Amino acid sequence: MKNCLLLLTSEYPFGKGETFLELEMPYIGKSFDKIIIIAVDAAPGAVATRKIPMNSDCYNAQAECSGHIRYNDVIKGSMHIFKASDFVKTDKKYIGSNLAKRVFLEYFLQRSEREYRKCTEILSEYDFSSFDSVTVYSYWLFVTAMIGSRLKNDISKVCSNVRFITRAHRYDLYEDRNQLNYLPMREYLLDCADAVYPCSLDGERHLKSRFPQYANKIKCSYLGTYDRGRAKASLSEFHIVSCSNAVAVKRLDLIVDSLALLKDSGMNIKWTHIGDGKLLNDIKHRAESKLGFMTVEFKGRISNTEVLDYYADECIDAFVNVSSSEGLPVSLMEAASFGIPVIATDVGGTGEIVSDGYNGMLLPADFKPNELSETVKRFAGMTAEQRLAFRSNSRKKWEDCFNAERNYSEFADMLLDGVMMSV
């Protein structure tokens, strides 16, 4: 049988986004005879920066600056807010009389239509009737999923075996992460999809509770990371690492304020942060004013390979993530793969990686700085045997749930066979 995968992404393999598709693609490449990748939001004129399977074609569907073209989507969409349509009827119970939600829906539809038309232009050169099966795979449960649902219908006219499958992560999954507490076309997309794969059990539960009529289509599929060995524990200092963008949701200011409370503890402590962002300078200034008693290192943005090399080469005692919201952080999977215990807020799917008191510590979402500082003191005060147990447990958690080789091999089989995989 000759089979084809049509993968819809935001910007992979262009730019720097969706880095974890890089881990997944080698397994998918082995399962399909032909792979077509279309990135709908890459920078205009961008060239591919990541390796793709030899049997793949990739296209950048973005021809104009995304900011300018999305502004036009809002304007054009707003012109339709007083017109009835089947799509509007589908979401009426979620929109109500909220004008902002209605404008958001029309923007979503306008953007999806524009990007769908570009995809059809790209795909016009392919003869899908020559394939025995076609799988349309959207990496996000948002615009790419809307496009994917329509492309499934188009391709079904010439190929009798077409499936539409989508992943779901965080911004495209949890309505409360949107400032309007609304995500467009949920029921429509779930109805069109043959399977929906949230990246966490928390995401699976959320979708099933919101849309129980589609529960049989929804199943968690964990992402994963590769095995790069184990990190070493520090001998002379307690070394904490965090890795994230410096944005409000990551709450790096609370890490600074928490560590500041350890000034008179007598601890020999070091904090390293990896990543940049619009708030990084503010965080640096805050650290300079409050953390002069300890070693602080800001490494800025480095490649994922460099991050993993750092974990392998350095002595690290704990990984810290205090986000106010998460899907299921791959940064925590990476730390766990090295046997690094994790201190994190109990939000989203974090509790699926961190078992409190087993391989790390969970903090309440609204924790106070003293709670984090006391947790750090507790870790630092453990015996060598206790710390080794946490490290061994962290590694085991990764081996059991987040090993990329196992997870992506199973997911590639599911994409090809259309069978629901188990977690």
Side-chain angles (χ1 to χ4, degrees):
M1 291 185 65
K2 188 178 180 183
N3 48 66
C4 174
L5 178 75
L6 172 56
L7 171 59
L8 303 171
T9 73
S10 178
E11 60 178 281
Y12 173 89
F14 308 91
K16 298 180 179 179
E18 297 156 319
T19 56
F20 299 102
L21 260 171
E22 297 175 45
L23 305 183
E24 186 175 320
M25 288 307 295
Y27 300 95
I28 293 176
K30 297 175 184 177
S31 297
F32 289 87
D33 299 298
K34 186 65 180 181
I35 299 174
I36 305 166
I37 308 170
I38 303 180
V40 301
D41 289 320
V47 297
T49 56
R50 271 78 65 79
K51 290 183 179 180
I52 60 175
M54 292 292 292
N55 56 338
S56 303
D57 299 333
C58 65
Y59 300 91
N60 181 354
Q62 189 67 274
E64 302 179 44
C65 173
S66 61
H68 171 73
I69 202 166
R70 289 189 190 180
Y71 176 77
N72 287 339
D73 290 338
V74 173
I75 298 301
K76 291 178 181 179
S78 298
M79 296 171 65
H80 295 89
I81 61 175
F82 299 110
K83 296 180 181 180
S85 72
D86 290 338
F87 285 148
V88 173
K89 293 175 184 177
T90 299
D91 269 27
K92 180 63 178 176
K93 61 184 175 182
Y94 303 109
I95 295 173
S97 59
N98 189 306
L99 183 60
K101 290 183 179 180
R102 178 61 191 278
V103 171
F104 185 40
L105 170 62
E106 294 296 347
Y107 153 76
F108 175 84
L109 294 173
Q110 182 66 35
R111 178 180 164 192
S112 300
E113 172 66 22
R114 171 178 54 79
E115 295 180 350
Y116 161 75
R117 289 197 302 267
K118 183 62 178 177
C119 289
T120 58
E121 292 177 14
I122 292 169
L123 296 173
S124 62
E125 66 179 83
Y126 291 92
D127 178 13
F128 288 102
S129 66
S130 66
F131 296 104
D132 296 292
S133 70
V134 177
T135 300
V136 181
Y137 171 25
S138 168
Y139 200 64
W140 304 95
L141 186 59
F142 199 62
V143 170
T144 52
M146 190 69 178
I147 298 168
S149 68
R150 298 185 64 182
L151 291 177
K152 174 190 175 181
N153 291 334
D154 293 344
I155 298 171
S156 295
K157 296 174 183 177
V158 296
C159 178
S160 60
N161 187 6
V162 184
R163 295 185 297 273
F164 165 47
I165 292 170
T166 179
R167 282 196 184 271
H169 302 267
R170 186 176 74 100
Y171 87 88
D172 57 333
L173 177 60
Y174 299 102
E175 291 84 356
D176 62 0
R177 300 317 306 161
N178 181 277
Q179 60 182 357
L180 297 175
N181 195 29
Y182 164 67
L183 291 172
M185 306 302 295
R186 301 287 93 181
E187 288 192 34
Y188 172 84
L189 293 175
L190 289 170
D191 188 63
C192 291
D194 295 283
V196 178
Y197 287 93
C199 68
S200 68
L201 288 171
D202 183 76
E204 176 186 325
R205 288 190 291 266
H206 174 78
L207 279 181
K208 285 183 174 180
S209 66
R210 292 274 290 152
F211 308 102
Q213 67 272 38
Y214 299 111
N216 65 323
K217 295 184 176 185
I218 302 166
K219 187 69 175 179
C220 169
S221 172
Y222 283 142
L223 303 179
T225 60
Y226 286 136
D227 185 359
R228 291 287 302 272
R230 302 192 183 207
K232 301 180 288 291
S234 300
L235 298 177
S236 60
E237 63 184 357
F238 192 79
H239 187 188
I240 294 170
V241 171
S242 55
C243 181
S244 72
N245 289 330
V247 293
V249 70
K250 298 301 181 181
R251 301 193 294 191
L252 299 180
D253 57 319
L254 289 181
I255 296 181
V256 175
D257 293 349
S258 300
L259 294 177
L261 297 177
L262 299 173
K263 182 177 181 179
D264 299 320
S265 67
M267 294 175 57
N268 184 10
I269 188 168
K270 176 181 178 179
W271 173 41
T272 299
H273 178 71
I274 302 170
D276 63 7
K278 62 183 180 181
L279 297 180
L280 186 60
N281 285 336
D282 292 341
I283 298 301
K284 285 182 176 179
H285 293 320
R286 195 182 193 97
E288 288 172 1
S289 66
K290 294 190 172 188
L291 303 181
F293 64 95
M294 56 179 281
T295 302
V296 178
E297 177 184 30
F298 291 96
K299 295 189 70 66
R301 177 185 287 274
I302 58 178
S303 70
N304 185 249
T305 298
E306 291 173 307
V307 171
L308 300 182
D309 287 342
Y310 183 81
Y311 293 167
D313 296 338
E314 296 294 320
C315 296
I316 302 172
D317 297 288
F319 186 92
V320 176
N321 181 312
V322 295
S323 297
S324 60
S325 171
E326 286 288 0
L328 198 153
V330 176
S331 62
L332 272 60
M333 297 179 202
E334 291 176 333
S337 76
F338 285 90
I340 302 172
V342 177
I343 302 170
T345 41
D346 190 8
V347 295
T350 296
E352 296 166 45
I353 301 178
V354 184
S355 297
D356 191 52
Y358 173 74
N359 66 328
M361 297 292 178
L362 288 173
L363 300 168
D366 58 350
F367 78 97
K368 301 297 187 293
N370 68 293
E371 293 178 89
L372 175 54
S373 65
E374 288 299 317
T375 300
V376 171
K377 285 173 64 176
R378 179 181 172 187
F379 260 114
M382 288 180 181
T383 65
E385 183 179 7
Q386 289 172 323
R387 290 168 68 175
L388 179 60
F390 269 84
R391 299 181 77 85
S392 297
N393 293 341
S394 196
R395 170 73 180 192
K396 186 175 188 307
K397 188 74 171 182
W398 172 82
E399 290 174 343
D400 290 344
C401 298
F402 305 108
N403 184 302
E405 184 173 358
R406 181 189 62 248
N407 289 1
Y408 291 139
S409 293
E410 291 181 356
F411 189 73
D413 290 342
M414 183 282 307
L415 284 175
L416 181 61
D417 299 331
V419 178
M420 274 286 188
M421 63 184 287
S422 60
V423 177

